[in-house]
Coordinates of all heavy atoms in Angstrom, one line a residue:
R1 N 10.0 4.9 -13.1 CA 10.0 6.4 -13.1 C 10.7 7.0 -14.3 O 10.3 8.0 -14.8 CB 10.7 6.9 -11.9 CG 10.0 6.7 -10.6 CD 8.7 7.5 -10.5 NE 8.9 8.9 -10.3 CZ 7.9 9.8 -10.4 NH1 6.7 9.5 -10.5 NH2 8.2 11.1 -10.2
E2 N 11.6 6.2 -14.9 CA 12.3 6.6 -16.1 C 11.3 6.7 -17.3 O 11.5 7.5 -18.2 CB 13.5 5.7 -16.4 CG 14.6 5.8 -15.4 CD 15.7 4.8 -15.7 OE1 15.6 4.1 -16.7 OE2 16.6 4.7 -14.9
N3 N 10.3 5.8 -17.3 CA 9.4 5.8 -18.5 C 8.3 6.8 -18.3 O 7.7 7.2 -19.3 CB 8.8 4.4 -18.8 CG 7.8 3.9 -17.7 OD1 7.0 4.7 -17.2 ND2 7.9 2.6 -17.5
G4 N 8.1 7.3 -17.1 CA 7.2 8.4 -16.8 C 5.7 8.1 -17.0 O 4.9 9.0 -16.9
R5 N 5.3 6.8 -17.2 CA 3.9 6.5 -17.4 C 3.3 5.6 -16.4 O 2.1 5.6 -16.3 CB 3.7 6.0 -18.9 CG 4.4 4.7 -19.2 CD 4.1 4.2 -20.6 NE 4.9 3.1 -21.0 CZ 4.6 1.8 -20.7 NH1 3.5 1.5 -20.1 NH2 5.4 0.8 -21.1
M6 N 4.1 4.8 -15.7 CA 3.5 3.9 -14.7 C 3.5 4.5 -13.3 O 4.2 5.5 -13.0 CB 4.4 2.6 -14.6 CG 4.4 1.8 -15.9 SD 5.4 0.3 -15.7 CE 5.5 -0.2 -17.5
T7 N 2.5 4.1 -12.5 CA 2.3 4.6 -11.2 C 2.3 3.4 -10.2 O 1.5 2.4 -10.4 CB 1.0 5.3 -11.1 OG1 1.0 6.4 -12.1 CG2 0.8 5.9 -9.8
L8 N 3.1 3.4 -9.2 CA 3.2 2.3 -8.2 C 2.6 2.8 -6.9 O 3.0 3.8 -6.3 CB 4.7 2.0 -8.0 CG 5.0 0.7 -7.3 CD1 4.5 -0.5 -8.1 CD2 6.5 0.5 -6.9
I9 N 1.7 2.0 -6.4 CA 0.9 2.3 -5.2 C 1.1 1.1 -4.2 O 0.8 -0.1 -4.7 CB -0.6 2.5 -5.5 CG1 -0.8 3.5 -6.6 CG2 -1.3 2.8 -4.2 CD1 -0.5 4.9 -6.3
Q10 N 1.5 1.3 -3.0 CA 1.5 0.1 -2.1 C 0.1 -0.2 -1.6 O -0.6 0.7 -1.1 CB 2.4 0.4 -0.9 CG 2.6 -0.9 0.0 CD 3.6 -0.9 1.0 OE1 4.1 0.2 1.4 NE2 4.0 -2.0 1.6
A11 N -0.3 -1.4 -1.8 CA -1.6 -1.9 -1.3 C -1.6 -2.2 0.1 O -0.6 -2.8 0.6 CB -2.1 -3.1 -2.2
H12 N -2.7 -1.9 0.8 CA -2.9 -2.3 2.2 C -1.6 -2.5 3.1 O -1.3 -3.6 3.5 CB -3.8 -3.6 2.3 CG -3.3 -4.7 1.4 ND1 -2.2 -5.4 1.6 CD2 -3.9 -5.2 0.2 CE1 -2.1 -6.3 0.6 NE2 -3.1 -6.2 -0.2
P13 N -0.8 -1.5 3.2 CA 0.5 -1.6 3.8 C 0.5 -2.0 5.3 O 1.6 -2.4 5.8 CB 1.2 -0.3 3.6 CG 0.1 0.7 3.5 CD -1.0 -0.1 2.8
F14 N -0.6 -1.8 6.0 CA -0.6 -2.1 7.4 C -1.3 -3.4 7.8 O -1.7 -3.5 9.0 CB -1.2 -0.9 8.1 CG -0.3 0.3 8.2 CD1 -0.3 1.2 7.2 CD2 0.6 0.4 9.3 CE1 0.6 2.3 7.3 CE2 1.5 1.4 9.3 CZ 1.5 2.4 8.3
R15 N -1.5 -4.3 6.9 CA -1.9 -5.6 7.3 C -0.8 -6.3 8.1 O 0.3 -6.0 8.0 CB -2.3 -6.5 6.1 CG -3.6 -6.1 5.4 CD -4.0 -7.0 4.3 NE -5.2 -6.5 3.6 CZ -5.7 -7.1 2.5 NH1 -5.1 -8.1 2.0 NH2 -6.7 -6.6 1.9
P16 N -1.2 -7.2 9.0 CA -0.2 -7.8 9.9 C 1.0 -8.4 9.1 O 0.9 -9.0 8.0 CB -1.0 -9.0 10.5 CG -2.4 -8.5 10.5 CD -2.5 -7.7 9.2
E17 N 2.2 -8.1 9.6 CA 3.5 -8.7 9.2 C 3.9 -8.1 7.9 O 4.9 -8.6 7.3 CB 3.4 -10.2 9.1 CG 3.1 -10.9 10.5 CD 3.1 -12.4 10.4 OE1 3.4 -12.9 9.4 OE2 2.7 -13.0 11.5
L18 N 3.3 -7.1 7.4 CA 3.8 -6.4 6.1 C 4.7 -5.2 6.5 O 4.5 -4.6 7.5 CB 2.6 -6.0 5.3 CG 1.7 -7.1 4.7 CD1 0.7 -6.5 3.8 CD2 2.5 -8.2 4.0
R19 N 5.6 -4.9 5.6 CA 6.5 -3.8 5.8 C 6.0 -2.6 5.0 O 5.5 -2.8 3.9 CB 7.9 -4.2 5.4 CG 8.5 -5.3 6.1 CD 9.8 -5.8 5.5 NE 9.6 -6.4 4.2 CZ 10.5 -6.9 3.4 NH1 11.8 -6.9 3.8 NH2 10.2 -7.5 2.3
Q20 N 6.2 -1.5 5.5 CA 5.8 -0.2 4.8 C 7.0 0.2 3.9 O 8.1 0.4 4.4 CB 5.4 0.9 5.8 CG 4.1 0.6 6.5 CD 4.3 -0.3 7.7 OE1 5.1 -0.1 8.6 NE2 3.5 -1.4 7.7
A21 N 6.8 0.3 2.7 CA 7.8 0.7 1.7 C 8.2 2.2 2.0 O 7.4 3.0 2.5 CB 7.3 0.6 0.3
P22 N 9.5 2.6 1.8 CA 9.9 4.0 1.9 C 9.0 4.8 1.0 O 8.7 4.5 -0.1 CB 11.3 4.0 1.4 CG 11.8 2.6 1.7 CD 10.6 1.7 1.4
L23 N 8.6 6.0 1.5 CA 7.7 6.8 0.7 C 8.3 7.3 -0.6 O 7.6 7.6 -1.6 CB 7.3 8.0 1.6 CG 6.4 7.7 2.8 CD1 6.1 8.9 3.6 CD2 5.1 7.0 2.4
D24 N 9.7 7.4 -0.6 CA 10.3 7.9 -1.8 C 10.5 6.8 -2.9 O 11.1 7.0 -3.9 CB 11.7 8.6 -1.5 CG 12.7 7.7 -0.9 OD1 12.3 6.5 -0.6 OD2 13.8 8.1 -0.6
E25 N 9.9 5.6 -2.6 CA 9.9 4.5 -3.5 C 8.5 4.2 -4.0 O 8.2 3.1 -4.5 CB 10.6 3.3 -2.9 CG 12.1 3.5 -2.6 CD 12.8 2.3 -2.0 OE1 12.1 1.2 -1.8 OE2 14.0 2.3 -1.8
L26 N 7.6 5.1 -3.8 CA 6.2 5.0 -4.1 C 5.6 6.2 -4.7 O 6.1 7.3 -4.5 CB 5.4 4.7 -2.9 CG 5.7 3.4 -2.1 CD1 4.9 3.4 -0.7 CD2 5.2 2.1 -2.9
D27 N 4.6 6.1 -5.6 CA 3.8 7.2 -6.0 C 2.6 7.4 -5.1 O 2.1 8.5 -5.1 CB 3.3 7.0 -7.4 CG 4.4 7.0 -8.5 OD1 5.1 8.0 -8.6 OD2 4.6 5.9 -9.1
G28 N 2.3 6.4 -4.3 CA 1.1 6.6 -3.4 C 0.9 5.3 -2.6 O 1.6 4.3 -2.7
I29 N -0.2 5.4 -1.8 CA -0.6 4.3 -1.0 C -2.1 4.1 -1.1 O -2.9 5.1 -1.3 CB -0.3 4.7 0.5 CG1 1.2 4.5 0.8 CG2 -1.1 3.8 1.5 CD1 1.6 5.0 2.2
E30 N -2.5 2.9 -1.1 CA -4.0 2.5 -1.0 C -4.4 2.8 0.4 O -4.2 2.0 1.3 CB -4.2 1.1 -1.4 CG -5.6 0.6 -1.4 CD -5.8 -0.8 -1.7 OE1 -5.2 -1.7 -1.0 OE2 -6.5 -1.2 -2.6
V31 N -5.1 4.0 0.6 CA -5.4 4.4 1.9 C -6.7 3.8 2.4 O -7.1 3.8 3.6 CB -5.5 5.9 2.1 CG1 -4.1 6.5 1.7 CG2 -6.6 6.5 1.1
Y32 N -7.5 3.3 1.4 CA -8.7 2.6 1.8 C -8.8 1.3 1.0 O -8.9 1.3 -0.2 CB -10.0 3.4 1.5 CG -11.2 2.6 1.9 CD1 -11.6 2.6 3.3 CD2 -12.0 1.8 1.0 CE1 -12.7 1.8 3.7 CE2 -13.1 1.1 1.4 CZ -13.4 1.1 2.7 OH -14.5 0.3 3.1
N33 N -8.8 0.1 1.8 CA -8.9 -1.2 1.2 C -10.2 -1.8 1.8 O -10.3 -1.9 3.0 CB -7.7 -2.1 1.5 CG -7.8 -3.5 0.9 OD1 -8.5 -4.3 1.5 ND2 -7.1 -3.7 -0.1
G34 N -11.2 -2.1 0.9 CA -12.5 -2.5 1.3 C -12.6 -4.0 1.6 O -13.8 -4.4 1.9
H35 N -11.6 -4.8 1.5 CA -11.7 -6.3 1.8 C -12.3 -6.5 3.2 O -11.6 -6.2 4.2 CB -10.3 -6.9 1.6 CG -10.4 -8.4 1.4 ND1 -11.0 -9.2 2.3 CD2 -9.8 -9.2 0.5 CE1 -10.9 -10.5 1.9 NE2 -10.2 -10.5 0.8
P36 N -13.4 -7.1 3.3 CA -14.1 -7.3 4.6 C -13.5 -8.3 5.5 O -13.8 -8.4 6.7 CB -15.5 -7.6 4.3 CG -15.5 -8.3 2.9 CD -14.3 -7.6 2.2
E37 N -12.6 -9.2 4.9 CA -12.1 -10.3 5.8 C -10.7 -10.0 6.2 O -10.0 -10.8 6.9 CB -12.1 -11.6 5.0 CG -13.4 -12.3 5.0 CD -14.1 -12.2 3.6 OE1 -13.5 -12.5 2.6 OE2 -15.3 -11.8 3.6
H38 N -10.2 -8.8 5.9 CA -8.9 -8.4 6.4 C -9.0 -7.0 7.1 O -9.8 -6.2 6.7 CB -7.9 -8.1 5.2 CG -7.4 -9.4 4.6 ND1 -6.5 -10.2 5.1 CD2 -7.8 -10.0 3.4 CE1 -6.3 -11.3 4.3 NE2 -7.1 -11.1 3.3
D39 N -8.2 -6.9 8.2 CA -8.1 -5.6 8.9 C -6.9 -4.9 8.3 O -5.8 -5.2 8.6 CB -8.0 -5.8 10.4 CG -8.0 -4.4 11.1 OD1 -8.0 -3.4 10.4 OD2 -8.0 -4.4 12.3
S40 N -7.2 -4.0 7.3 CA -6.1 -3.3 6.6 C -5.6 -2.1 7.3 O -4.7 -1.4 6.8 CB -6.6 -3.0 5.2 OG -6.8 -4.1 4.4
H41 N -6.3 -1.8 8.5 CA -5.9 -0.6 9.2 C -5.8 0.7 8.3 O -4.7 1.3 8.2 CB -4.5 -0.8 9.9 CG -4.6 -1.9 11.0 ND1 -5.2 -1.8 12.2 CD2 -4.1 -3.2 10.9 CE1 -5.1 -2.9 12.9 NE2 -4.5 -3.8 12.1
N42 N -6.9 0.9 7.7 CA -6.9 2.0 6.7 C -6.6 3.4 7.3 O -6.0 4.3 6.7 CB -8.3 2.1 6.1 CG -8.6 0.9 5.2 OD1 -7.7 0.5 4.4 ND2 -9.8 0.3 5.2
D43 N -6.9 3.5 8.6 CA -6.5 4.8 9.3 C -5.0 5.0 9.3 O -4.5 6.1 9.1 CB -7.1 4.8 10.7 CG -6.7 3.6 11.6 OD1 -6.4 2.6 11.0 OD2 -6.8 3.7 12.8
L44 N -4.3 3.9 9.6 CA -2.8 4.0 9.6 C -2.3 4.3 8.2 O -1.3 5.0 8.0 CB -2.2 2.7 10.2 CG -2.6 2.4 11.6 CD1 -1.9 1.1 12.0 CD2 -2.2 3.6 12.5

């Protein structure tokens, strides 16, 4: 954040056994992950 040019997005945060990062430690979330062999729970 200090350099002001990079953007950090949590990928597929609702796949099984993954933790959701605090929202204030992210610029965004991958809300749609198209990988057909994973249930990424895009709605969540």
Side-chain angles (χ1 to χ4, degrees):
R1 289 293 289 175
E2 294 176 1
N3 71 39
R5 61 181 171 85
M6 297 182 190
T7 302
L8 191 69
I9 309 291
Q10 187 170 15
H12 47 72
F14 284 91
R15 285 187 187 171
E17 301 181 4
L18 297 185
R19 298 170 294 181
Q20 292 78 55
L23 295 177
D24 62 358
E25 295 180 359
L26 297 169
D27 292 300
I29 286 175
E30 183 184 53
V31 300
Y32 181 81
N33 180 284
H35 197 304
E37 280 108 50
H38 288 284
D39 186 353
S40 296
H41 297 286
N42 292 318
D43 55 337
L44 298 179

